[in-house]
PDB file of all heavy atoms in Angstrom:
ATOM      1  N   ARG A  91     -72.872  41.744 -38.455  1.00 96.00           N
ATOM      2  CA  ARG A  91     -74.242  41.785 -38.930  1.00 96.00           C
ATOM      3  C   ARG A  91     -74.578  43.149 -39.517  1.00 96.00           C
ATOM      4  O   ARG A  91     -75.137  43.257 -40.605  1.00 96.00           O
ATOM      5  CB  ARG A  91     -75.207  41.471 -37.783  1.00 96.00           C
ATOM      6  CG  ARG A  91     -76.616  41.514 -38.277  1.00 96.00           C
ATOM      7  CD  ARG A  91     -77.664  41.346 -37.203  1.00 96.00           C
ATOM      8  NE  ARG A  91     -78.928  41.294 -37.898  1.00 96.00           N
ATOM      9  CZ  ARG A  91     -79.860  40.382 -37.717  1.00 96.00           C
ATOM     10  NH1 ARG A  91     -79.717  39.474 -36.811  1.00 96.00           N
ATOM     11  NH2 ARG A  91     -80.953  40.394 -38.440  1.00 96.00           N
ATOM     12  N   GLU A  95     -75.691  43.824 -43.316  1.00 96.00           N
ATOM     13  CA  GLU A  95     -76.998  44.400 -43.658  1.00 96.00           C
ATOM     14  C   GLU A  95     -76.819  45.500 -44.693  1.00 96.00           C
ATOM     15  O   GLU A  95     -77.573  45.609 -45.660  1.00 96.00           O
ATOM     16  CB  GLU A  95     -77.666  44.997 -42.405  1.00 96.00           C
ATOM     17  CG  GLU A  95     -78.192  43.956 -41.436  1.00 96.00           C
ATOM     18  CD  GLU A  95     -78.722  44.579 -40.147  1.00 96.00           C
ATOM     19  OE1 GLU A  95     -78.713  45.831 -40.015  1.00 96.00           O
ATOM     20  OE2 GLU A  95     -79.154  43.819 -39.257  1.00 96.00           O
ATOM     21  N   LEU A 100     -80.042  45.778 -47.117  1.00 96.00           N
ATOM     22  CA  LEU A 100     -81.290  45.317 -46.509  1.00 96.00           C
ATOM     23  C   LEU A 100     -82.027  46.492 -45.835  1.00 96.00           C
ATOM     24  O   LEU A 100     -81.384  47.413 -45.333  1.00 96.00           O
ATOM     25  CB  LEU A 100     -81.003  44.230 -45.474  1.00 96.00           C
ATOM     26  CG  LEU A 100     -80.371  42.959 -46.040  1.00 96.00           C
ATOM     27  CD1 LEU A 100     -79.997  42.001 -44.928  1.00 96.00           C
ATOM     28  CD2 LEU A 100     -81.329  42.281 -47.014  1.00 96.00           C
ATOM     29  N   PRO A 101     -83.359  46.450 -45.834  1.00 95.00           N
ATOM     30  CA  PRO A 101     -84.112  47.554 -45.228  1.00 95.00           C
ATOM     31  C   PRO A 101     -83.823  47.690 -43.727  1.00 95.00           C
ATOM     32  O   PRO A 101     -83.842  46.697 -42.999  1.00 95.00           O
ATOM     33  CB  PRO A 101     -85.577  47.163 -45.475  1.00 95.00           C
ATOM     34  CG  PRO A 101     -85.570  45.721 -45.829  1.00 95.00           C
ATOM     35  CD  PRO A 101     -84.229  45.422 -46.408  1.00 95.00           C
ATOM     36  N   ASN A 103     -85.371  48.524 -40.808  1.00 92.00           N
ATOM     37  CA  ASN A 103     -86.796  48.703 -40.513  1.00 92.00           C
ATOM     38  C   ASN A 103     -87.162  48.608 -39.035  1.00 92.00           C
ATOM     39  O   ASN A 103     -88.320  48.709 -38.680  1.00 92.00           O
ATOM     40  CB  ASN A 103     -87.610  47.666 -41.302  1.00 92.00           C
ATOM     41  CG  ASN A 103     -87.143  46.240 -41.018  1.00 92.00           C
ATOM     42  OD1 ASN A 103     -86.097  46.043 -40.442  1.00 92.00           O
ATOM     43  ND2 ASN A 103     -87.930  45.271 -41.395  1.00 92.00           N
ATOM     44  N   HIS A 112     -81.897  46.013 -39.252  1.00 95.00           N
ATOM     45  CA  HIS A 112     -82.732  45.217 -40.152  1.00 95.00           C
ATOM     46  C   HIS A 112     -83.226  43.948 -39.442  1.00 95.00           C
ATOM     47  O   HIS A 112     -82.461  43.275 -38.768  1.00 95.00           O
ATOM     48  CB  HIS A 112     -81.927  44.806 -41.385  1.00 95.00           C
ATOM     49  CG  HIS A 112     -82.560  43.667 -42.110  1.00 95.00           C
ATOM     50  ND1 HIS A 112     -83.644  43.838 -42.928  1.00 95.00           N
ATOM     51  CD2 HIS A 112     -82.312  42.332 -42.087  1.00 95.00           C
ATOM     52  CE1 HIS A 112     -84.025  42.652 -43.398  1.00 95.00           C
ATOM     53  NE2 HIS A 112     -83.221  41.725 -42.897  1.00 95.00           N
ATOM     54  N   THR A 113     -84.491  43.648 -39.590  1.00 94.00           N
ATOM     55  CA  THR A 113     -85.048  42.371 -39.141  1.00 94.00           C
ATOM     56  C   THR A 113     -86.174  41.981 -40.094  1.00 94.00           C
ATOM     57  O   THR A 113     -87.035  42.813 -40.379  1.00 94.00           O
ATOM     58  CB  THR A 113     -85.661  42.501 -37.732  1.00 94.00           C
ATOM     59  OG1 THR A 113     -84.620  42.768 -36.820  1.00 94.00           O
ATOM     60  CG2 THR A 113     -86.325  41.221 -37.297  1.00 94.00           C
ATOM     61  N   CYS A 114     -86.152  40.741 -40.558  1.00 94.00           N
ATOM     62  CA  CYS A 114     -87.260  40.296 -41.415  1.00 94.00           C
ATOM     63  C   CYS A 114     -88.502  40.035 -40.567  1.00 94.00           C
ATOM     64  O   CYS A 114     -88.426  39.301 -39.579  1.00 94.00           O
ATOM     65  CB  CYS A 114     -86.871  39.026 -42.152  1.00 94.00           C
ATOM     66  SG  CYS A 114     -85.778  39.321 -43.541  1.00 94.00           S
ATOM     67  N   ASP A 115     -89.607  40.632 -40.940  1.00 91.00           N
ATOM     68  CA  ASP A 115     -90.867  40.442 -40.222  1.00 91.00           C
ATOM     69  C   ASP A 115     -91.790  39.465 -40.937  1.00 91.00           C
ATOM     70  O   ASP A 115     -92.728  38.947 -40.348  1.00 91.00           O
ATOM     71  CB  ASP A 115     -91.600  41.778 -40.074  1.00 91.00           C
ATOM     72  CG  ASP A 115     -90.947  42.647 -39.012  1.00 91.00           C
ATOM     73  OD1 ASP A 115     -90.475  42.081 -38.006  1.00 91.00           O
ATOM     74  OD2 ASP A 115     -90.893  43.875 -39.193  1.00 91.00           O
ATOM     75  N   ASP A 119     -89.863  37.187 -46.760  1.00 93.00           N
ATOM     76  CA  ASP A 119     -88.571  37.896 -46.774  1.00 93.00           C
ATOM     77  C   ASP A 119     -87.513  37.046 -46.085  1.00 93.00           C
ATOM     78  O   ASP A 119     -86.375  36.936 -46.541  1.00 93.00           O
ATOM     79  CB  ASP A 119     -88.678  39.238 -46.012  1.00 93.00           C
ATOM     80  CG  ASP A 119     -89.664  40.173 -46.681  1.00 93.00           C
ATOM     81  OD1 ASP A 119     -89.905  40.002 -47.891  1.00 93.00           O
ATOM     82  OD2 ASP A 119     -90.197  41.064 -45.986  1.00 93.00           O
ATOM     83  N   TYR A 120     -87.911  36.451 -44.955  1.00 93.00           N
ATOM     84  CA  TYR A 120     -86.966  35.667 -44.147  1.00 93.00           C
ATOM     85  C   TYR A 120     -86.389  34.494 -44.941  1.00 93.00           C
ATOM     86  O   TYR A 120     -85.226  34.170 -44.835  1.00 93.00           O
ATOM     87  CB  TYR A 120     -87.680  35.169 -42.887  1.00 93.00           C
ATOM     88  CG  TYR A 120     -86.812  34.322 -41.980  1.00 93.00           C
ATOM     89  CD1 TYR A 120     -85.910  34.912 -41.101  1.00 93.00           C
ATOM     90  CD2 TYR A 120     -86.881  32.928 -42.019  1.00 93.00           C
ATOM     91  CE1 TYR A 120     -85.106  34.139 -40.280  1.00 93.00           C
ATOM     92  CE2 TYR A 120     -86.092  32.153 -41.202  1.00 93.00           C
ATOM     93  CZ  TYR A 120     -85.205  32.757 -40.329  1.00 93.00           C
ATOM     94  OH  TYR A 120     -84.408  31.985 -39.518  1.00 93.00           O
ATOM     95  N   LYS A 121     -87.247  33.888 -45.738  1.00 90.00           N
ATOM     96  CA  LYS A 121     -86.857  32.703 -46.508  1.00 90.00           C
ATOM     97  C   LYS A 121     -85.628  32.953 -47.371  1.00 90.00           C
ATOM     98  O   LYS A 121     -84.820  32.063 -47.586  1.00 90.00           O
ATOM     99  CB  LYS A 121     -88.033  32.290 -47.405  1.00 90.00           C
ATOM    100  CG  LYS A 121     -88.282  30.802 -47.414  1.00 90.00           C
ATOM    101  CD  LYS A 121     -89.568  30.466 -48.124  1.00 90.00           C
ATOM    102  CE  LYS A 121     -90.185  29.245 -47.462  1.00 90.00           C
ATOM    103  NZ  LYS A 121     -91.572  29.058 -47.763  1.00 90.00           N
ATOM    104  N   THR A 122     -85.500  34.178 -47.872  1.00 91.00           N
ATOM    105  CA  THR A 122     -84.383  34.462 -48.773  1.00 91.00           C
ATOM    106  C   THR A 122     -83.322  35.343 -48.111  1.00 91.00           C
ATOM    107  O   THR A 122     -82.373  35.771 -48.762  1.00 91.00           O
ATOM    108  CB  THR A 122     -84.896  35.173 -50.046  1.00 91.00           C
ATOM    109  OG1 THR A 122     -85.606  36.347 -49.630  1.00 91.00           O
ATOM    110  CG2 THR A 122     -85.801  34.284 -50.854  1.00 91.00           C
ATOM    111  N   CYS A 123     -83.493  35.640 -46.807  1.00 95.00           N
ATOM    112  CA  CYS A 123     -82.563  36.568 -46.148  1.00 95.00           C
ATOM    113  C   CYS A 123     -81.427  35.799 -45.459  1.00 95.00           C
ATOM    114  O   CYS A 123     -81.626  35.194 -44.407  1.00 95.00           O
ATOM    115  CB  CYS A 123     -83.297  37.457 -45.151  1.00 95.00           C
ATOM    116  SG  CYS A 123     -82.219  38.681 -44.404  1.00 95.00           S
ATOM    117  N   LYS A 124     -80.250  35.857 -46.067  1.00 95.00           N
ATOM    118  CA  LYS A 124     -79.095  35.157 -45.500  1.00 95.00           C
ATOM    119  C   LYS A 124     -78.740  35.727 -44.128  1.00 95.00           C
ATOM    120  O   LYS A 124     -78.401  35.001 -43.206  1.00 95.00           O
ATOM    121  CB  LYS A 124     -77.882  35.330 -46.422  1.00 95.00           C
ATOM    122  CG  LYS A 124     -77.999  34.605 -47.726  1.00 95.00           C
ATOM    123  CD  LYS A 124     -76.745  34.788 -48.555  1.00 95.00           C
ATOM    124  CE  LYS A 124     -76.752  36.155 -49.226  1.00 95.00           C
ATOM    125  NZ  LYS A 124     -75.728  36.319 -50.264  1.00 95.00           N
ATOM    126  N   VAL A 125     -78.810  37.054 -44.024  1.00 96.00           N
ATOM    127  CA  VAL A 125     -78.356  37.713 -42.789  1.00 96.00           C
ATOM    128  C   VAL A 125     -79.226  37.286 -41.602  1.00 96.00           C
ATOM    129  O   VAL A 125     -78.709  36.900 -40.549  1.00 96.00           O
ATOM    130  CB  VAL A 125     -78.335  39.247 -42.972  1.00 96.00           C
ATOM    131  CG1 VAL A 125     -78.047  39.947 -41.657  1.00 96.00           C
ATOM    132  CG2 VAL A 125     -77.285  39.631 -44.006  1.00 96.00           C
ATOM    133  N   CYS A 126     -80.552  37.318 -41.754  1.00 96.00           N
ATOM    134  CA  CYS A 126     -81.427  36.936 -40.638  1.00 96.00           C
ATOM    135  C   CYS A 126     -81.306  35.454 -40.304  1.00 96.00           C
ATOM    136  O   CYS A 126     -81.387  35.073 -39.143  1.00 96.00           O
ATOM    137  CB  CYS A 126     -82.876  37.306 -40.935  1.00 96.00           C
ATOM    138  SG  CYS A 126     -83.187  39.070 -40.742  1.00 96.00           S
ATOM    139  N   GLN A 127     -81.102  34.616 -41.313  1.00 95.00           N
ATOM    140  CA  GLN A 127     -80.979  33.184 -41.026  1.00 95.00           C
ATOM    141  C   GLN A 127     -79.661  32.852 -40.319  1.00 95.00           C
ATOM    142  O   GLN A 127     -79.627  32.042 -39.413  1.00 95.00           O
ATOM    143  CB  GLN A 127     -81.116  32.371 -42.316  1.00 95.00           C
ATOM    144  CG  GLN A 127     -82.527  32.441 -42.859  1.00 95.00           C
ATOM    145  CD  GLN A 127     -82.792  31.420 -43.952  1.00 95.00           C
ATOM    146  OE1 GLN A 127     -82.133  30.406 -44.049  1.00 95.00           O
ATOM    147  NE2 GLN A 127     -83.791  31.698 -44.761  1.00 95.00           N
ATOM    148  N   GLY A 130     -79.772  35.448 -36.945  1.00 94.00           N
ATOM    149  CA  GLY A 130     -80.936  35.336 -36.077  1.00 94.00           C
ATOM    150  C   GLY A 130     -81.846  36.546 -36.130  1.00 94.00           C
ATOM    151  O   GLY A 130     -81.470  37.599 -36.641  1.00 94.00           O
ATOM    152  N   VAL A 131     -83.055  36.364 -35.631  1.00 91.00           N
ATOM    153  CA  VAL A 131     -84.014  37.466 -35.509  1.00 91.00           C
ATOM    154  C   VAL A 131     -84.371  37.578 -34.033  1.00 91.00           C
ATOM    155  O   VAL A 131     -84.361  36.586 -33.315  1.00 91.00           O
ATOM    156  CB  VAL A 131     -85.289  37.238 -36.363  1.00 91.00           C
ATOM    157  CG1 VAL A 131     -85.010  37.425 -37.837  1.00 91.00           C
ATOM    158  CG2 VAL A 131     -85.900  35.869 -36.112  1.00 91.00           C
TER     159      VAL A 131
HETATM  160 ZN1   ZN B   9     -83.613  39.714 -42.971  1.00 81.14          ZN
END
Side-chain angles (χ1 to χ4, degrees):
R91 180 185 185 131
E95 287 174 2
L100 297 174
N103 56 347
H112 162 78
T113 294
C114 283
D115 285 324
D119 297 337
Y120 179 80
K121 224 171 213 162
T122 56
C123 184
K124 291 182 281 192
V125 172
C126 284
Q127 291 193 23
V131 287

